[in-house]
Amino acid sequence: MSTEKKNNSGLPIDVVYGPNETKAAASEQPGQFPYTRGVKADMYRGRLWTMRQYAGFSTAEASNERYHYLLNQGTTGLSVAFDLPTQIGYDSDHAMSEGEVGKVGVAIDSLADMEILFKGIQLQDVTTSMTINSTASTLLAMYVALAKKQGADLSKIGGTIQNDILKEYAARGTYIYPVRPSMRLITDIFEWCSKELPRWNTISISGYHIREAGSTAVQELAFTLANGKAYVEAAKKKGLDVNVFGKRLSFFFNAHNDFFEEAAKFRAARRIWANIMKSMGATNPDAMMLRFHTQTGGSTLTAQQPENNIARVTIQALSAVLGGTQSLHTNGYDEALNLPTEKAARIALRTQQIIANESGAASTVDPLAGSYYVEHLTDTLEAEALKLIDQIDAMGGSVAAVEAGWMQEQIARSSYETQKSIESGEQIVVGVNAFTSNETESMPSFKINDSIRVQQSEKIAHLKATRNAEIFSSAIKNLDEACTTENNLMPHILDCVEAYATLGEIADILRNRFGEYQG
């Protein structure tokens, strides 16, 4: 007799599946509502997903060198990682930045750093994703200011800014301001970009960090889409047209090791979101399509037997491709130990290129469709996620669920249960709690030393001594005054950036007016 088996979300798995266990409609086609089978009729036959390798470390000069390397190796989009001080609105010379400058991303203190970061790269010729949230408005303004200096046509500038603050309160922690002022900044970006930067994806609603914090696949799906609803509701209250800003919403999901559940999760996400947007008044097909970026699971990487991570990343990447992702980052096999070395970054990119060009996965659309198991999982994940979304709606939506701490508690509980199952051996992690080895391996190390803070502090001192003090003071004063009105803050933030105000100076104006979130 077979023993009961469950997947990592706790969903039961039958021994075998048949045609009576799925509601999948045979009439569903790729490129048609509700987009379960993909957002394009020809998917990768028409265009491959964007191979967008996430990178950023140390100084703008060092990261610029890595970007040129990745572009030369065949990456088709850039993705910027910022250090923690940049993420939470502190300049590198601030006391709170000590020990963190350039460590988990690149240090960007001003437009001068942004100019160096993209030296030799025409922003009109690439698309860039920036993983930044509480200071998203300032980093986007820096990117736009640089594009203007390059003489670019802003209507042709493409890319994505994460700009998803709700998941920061729930899972990741790089917040600054209270929830409601943060939501104002987000909808200001929506409004401003719809007029000034029409090709820019104004938000990447992120399940990735929810999953990294320990959620299940079902929770990742539900909490992410519930957050998406909250942003749509906030934008509609601001008077924005759901059929306009809805086209510029994007999502960011995690890909873990349960291959079939992950592929089904992506299919279910499209179906749920299409129906959510339809219920919220969207009629434009582009406003109902869920487009998403995927990153392979950082929390699944092991420091033990790190080469095994290459196999994990391959499985995860393939699930994202077969699930219909629009862009993909594959992690370096050494990331449980340090920042990815150049060799690890190359192997990660080559993994995508092999899937695209050698595996046959891109040859036909939604090749897993019709699998009794995959269709059953798609239906089950949809149903389970909708139950959680209904719970969140009953609380008053994601903002209320976050403010009450409910979402955080659910994630923490799942994380605890997962850790217990690993420690007990119920959940096997190869090389960690099974198939272990006593051999010690020498791995190349890539770490950032603290001298980066000295370099950045010297840059800031020079910047403040040489910028036009009158233009700077006027721009900062105007931003401060605008915070007390209902006016869009983005034009004022852009003026400050172009006056070479630092990121910390701009964040401090907003801190003084809005306060800080006390989680």
Side-chain angles (χ1 to χ4, degrees):
M1 181 181 290
S2 299
T3 57
E4 183 185 32
K5 192 166 185 63
K6 294 182 178 181
N7 69 9
N8 291 340
S9 289
L11 302 175
I13 303 173
D14 293 342
V15 175
V16 67
Y17 289 86
N20 297 325
E21 295 164 283
T22 176
K23 68 177 184 183
S27 60
E28 278 197 23
Q29 293 297 319
Q32 295 179 15
F33 183 91
Y35 310 107
T36 311
R37 301 195 61 196
V39 294
K40 299 292 182 185
D42 59 355
M43 286 302 287
Y44 307 134
R45 289 281 287 266
R47 177 187 172 190
L48 286 174
W49 64 92
T50 301
M51 298 180 192
R52 190 182 300 284
Q53 288 302 106
Y54 188 45
F57 55 87
S58 184
T59 61
E61 290 88 346
S63 291
N64 175 262
E65 186 177 333
R66 177 63 66 89
Y67 295 158
H68 280 284
Y69 172 79
L70 289 169
L71 289 168
N72 290 334
Q73 292 297 315
T75 193
T76 53
L78 298 175
S79 184
V80 184
F82 297 98
D83 70 359
L84 283 175
T86 303
Q87 292 182 49
I88 55 176
Y90 292 115
D91 289 334
S92 296
D93 60 357
H94 194 284
M96 290 289 288
S97 301
E98 188 170 356
E100 293 294 344
V101 176
K103 292 291 179 69
V104 299
V106 62
I108 299 294
D109 291 311
S110 71
L111 175 57
D113 284 328
M114 190 68 83
E115 291 165 357
I116 297 167
L117 186 66
F118 290 101
K119 185 177 181 181
I121 299 170
Q122 291 299 307
L123 301 189
Q124 194 169 307
D125 298 336
V126 297
T127 59
T128 303
S129 174
M130 294 189 282
T131 303
I132 197 73
N133 297 282
S134 56
T135 55
S137 54
T138 302
L139 271 299
L140 176 60
M142 289 181 187
Y143 194 86
V144 170
L146 176 57
K148 288 170 66 177
K149 290 190 74 171
Q150 290 182 350
D153 179 350
L154 294 187
S155 70
K156 295 179 181 178
I157 294 294
T160 304
I161 197 144
Q162 192 162 97
N163 198 28
D164 174 9
I165 202 63
L166 289 175
K167 68 96 174 54
E168 294 297 326
Y169 303 116
R172 191 162 174 263
T174 64
Y175 45 72
I176 303 174
Y177 321 112
V179 179
R180 295 175 197 276
S182 293
M183 293 293 282
R184 172 191 174 176
L185 286 168
I186 287 167
T187 54
D188 279 359
I189 290 173
F190 287 1
E191 181 181 52
W192 185 79
C193 285
S194 69
K195 300 170 185 174
E196 305 293 335
L197 220 62
R199 284 192 61 219
W200 194 265
N201 294 322
T202 52
I203 192 168
S204 177
I205 305 160
S206 175
Y208 184 85
H209 301 101
I210 291 170
R211 192 67 175 280
E212 288 295 283
S215 81
T216 65
V218 170
Q219 290 171 330
E220 178 191 359
L221 192 54
F223 297 168
T224 305
L225 299 184
N227 288 348
K229 283 184 70 174
Y231 294 126
V232 172
E233 287 164 355
K236 288 178 69 177
K237 284 179 183 176
K238 198 177 179 72
L240 304 183
D241 185 346
V242 67
N243 285 309
V244 175
F245 75 80
K247 294 186 291 186
R248 303 321 310 173
L249 304 177
S250 65
F251 289 80
F252 175 23
F253 287 113
N254 210 316
H256 271 220
N257 289 329
D258 191 328
F259 177 81
F260 293 107
E261 182 178 43
E262 294 302 300
K265 179 186 73 181
F266 303 131
R267 300 173 88 248
R270 281 191 293 271
R271 185 190 293 169
I272 297 170
W273 186 247
N275 284 299
I276 286 173
M277 288 298 278
K278 186 176 182 180
S279 72
M280 298 182 80
T283 55
N284 187 314
D286 286 343
M288 292 186 277
M289 292 179 186
L290 182 145
R291 289 166 290 265
F292 68 100
H293 171 71
T294 311
Q295 182 172 337
T296 56
S299 62
T300 69
L301 302 178
T302 64
Q304 301 90 335
Q305 302 177 28
E307 290 87 349
N308 293 345
N309 293 328
I310 297 173
R312 293 186 177 100
V313 167
T314 303
I315 290 167
Q316 295 163 7
L318 187 58
S319 76
V321 170
L322 295 180
T325 194
Q326 276 61 68
S327 69
L328 177 61
H329 164 85
T330 33
N331 289 332
Y333 70 91
D334 57 352
E335 288 189 50
L337 298 164
N338 46 236
L339 288 169
T341 60
E342 203 168 81
K343 179 182 178 181
R346 184 175 66 250
I347 291 171
L349 176 59
R350 294 288 183 260
T351 300
Q352 292 199 50
Q353 292 165 336
I354 289 168
I355 291 172
N357 297 290
E358 297 185 27
S359 74
S363 298
T364 189
V365 181
D366 193 21
L368 295 181
S371 157
Y372 301 135
Y373 181 42
V374 171
E375 296 293 1
H376 172 80
L377 273 173
T378 302
D379 298 343
T380 303
L381 287 164
E382 177 188 21
E384 293 298 314
L386 286 172
K387 288 178 187 175
L388 285 175
I389 291 171
D390 286 344
Q391 281 185 260
I392 293 167
D393 286 345
M395 295 179 208
S398 279
V399 171
V402 165
E403 289 181 329
W406 181 85
M407 205 177 285
Q408 298 91 311
E409 182 184 347
Q410 297 300 308
I411 296 168
R413 187 176 299 164
S414 293
S415 178
Y416 174 68
E417 292 300 326
T418 297
Q419 187 59 34
K420 274 206 313 181
S421 70
I422 292 171
E423 290 179 4
S424 70
E426 180 184 354
Q427 182 176 328
I428 290 176
V429 181
V430 173
V432 176
N433 63 2
F435 313 108
T436 57
S437 171
N438 292 325
E439 295 179 17
T440 57
E441 301 179 47
S442 176
M443 289 284 294
S445 179
F446 182 25
K447 299 186 185 296
I448 306 300
N449 65 51
D450 291 329
S451 65
I452 299 302
R453 183 169 184 250
V454 175
Q455 295 177 40
Q456 287 298 115
S457 298
E458 289 172 352
K459 285 185 189 177
I460 292 168
H462 177 75
L463 177 84
K464 291 180 176 180
T466 56
R467 68 190 176 191
N468 186 307
E470 185 177 342
I471 294 174
F472 163 78
S473 296
S474 175
I476 284 289
K477 180 174 180 290
N478 290 340
L479 173 61
D480 185 45
E481 291 173 352
C483 289
T484 65
T485 72
E486 294 184 0
N487 294 338
N488 193 304
L489 296 180
M490 278 302 297
H492 300 288
I493 292 172
L494 181 58
D495 286 345
C496 289
V497 162
E498 292 182 321
Y500 287 91
T502 67
L503 175 113
E505 288 170 329
I506 294 169
D508 282 346
I509 292 293
L510 303 181
R511 276 190 183 94
N512 291 336
R513 287 295 183 183
F514 299 151
E516 295 190 65
Y517 178 74
Q518 303 297 320

